[in-house]
Amino acid sequence: MIVVAGEALIDLVPSEKGALADLAPRRGGGPYNTAVALGRLGSPTSFCSRISHDAFGEALVGGLREAGVDVSSVQRGTEPTTLAVASIAADGSAGYSFYVEGTADRLFSAPAHVPDGTRAVSFGTCSLVLEPGASAYEELMRSAAAQGVFTTLDPNIRAVLIPDADAYRARFKSWLPSVSLLKLSEEDARWLGGTPREWLTAGPSAVVITRGGDGLTAFTRDGGEYSVPGEPVDVVDTIGAGDTVNAALLHGLASRGALSAEAVAGLGADGWGALLRFAARAAAITCSRAGAEPPYAHEVGTV
């Protein structure tokens, strides 16, 4: 079982690039998208979050169930669902503004332990910024790592939600000893102000950098560096592309029985090449669709 921990929210997406007149609600949130993508790829997945009982919340839980994701670890609340208003640029890239005050996912409480049979736990995005939930997710990350569970982190920076950038950067560094695989975009890396080699010395077995249409690069603790190009695609928007990469990497590692530091270290050029190409294919399919609509296993092929 792969557990994905973090927020579920509603993206309000313009019907035309650059237009806000007609906003369509779409299920989203980085961790939510990752969980749905894992379920569609066929990995046994559980979602650990707090979701509203409102109509948006019911739709979010329904989407998880449709993807085959276990929702027994989802906490529920009467508070409203977080909203993110997306603006789509001409190149398909997305920007966001958020409505987060008093919303359900901010009140997440850390469970006493991860579910039995958990092989990996994935974290990231707004859930590690907005208190008091951020501290609860951090607690879960540290406890899972202490139990020897493989952990992944995608910071997926939303600068508008971070009031103190330096404090967040320091907190990010404090997470790294508890992280097995760090994945982030080039933009996130620049904002954080570090390098893959620096981050590897702090704990992760591997760091994967996404470069949009230019592909992905993996850096490993033994000095390895492996790159693949992006898959050609007519981009509708990039919403959920990075989340799909998270899911594809986890699914691929699980398929190879490589959810451990030792196994990641042993992947080598062939293993990383296959894994990164799989992630690039999956992300390209997501980019070809409006909103976060990750592919199913039959669409992306084998790892």
Side-chain angles (χ1 to χ4, degrees), residues 7-74:
E7 81 278 358
L9 53 79
I10 292 295
D11 287 324
L12 298 176
V13 182
S15 57
E16 297 180 6
K17 292 180 181 178
L20 291 177
D22 298 307
L23 295 173
R26 296 187 179 275
R27 296 171 290 207
Y32 181 89
N33 296 337
T34 297
V36 169
L38 277 164
R40 291 184 177 185
L41 290 173
S43 281
T45 304
S46 176
F47 192 56
C48 185
S49 183
R50 191 169 188 273
I51 296 178
S52 176
H53 280 296
D54 66 13
F56 286 142
E58 294 301 326
L60 288 163
V61 172
L64 292 167
R65 290 185 171 128
E66 288 169 11
V69 176
D70 175 61
V71 296
S72 62
S73 294
V74 172

Side-chain angles (χ1 to χ4, degrees), residues 121-215:
V121 188
S122 174
F123 299 89
T125 318
C126 309
S127 55
L128 290 169
V129 175
L130 299 171
E131 296 290 2
S135 292
Y137 285 111
E138 180 178 302
E139 178 186 342
L140 179 60
M141 180 194 299
R142 297 188 192 282
S143 64
Q147 295 169 46
V149 176
F150 192 88
T151 58
T152 69
L153 171 64
D154 175 11
N156 201 6
I157 300 299
R158 300 290 184 244
V160 68
L161 293 175
I162 301 174
D164 187 333
D166 289 338
Y168 179 88
R169 291 178 180 118
R171 194 173 189 181
F172 164 76
K173 291 178 181 177
S174 78
W175 296 329
L176 294 179
S178 300
V179 175
S180 307
L181 172 66
L182 173 65
K183 172 265 167 188
L184 68 173
S185 68
E186 281 185 313
E187 294 82 4
D188 290 345
R190 284 194 294 269
W191 191 92
L192 287 164
T195 68
R197 293 298 169 201
E198 291 173 14
W199 298 323
L200 285 166
T201 63
S205 298
V207 175
V208 174
I209 303 287
T210 60
R211 297 178 281 108
D214 293 329

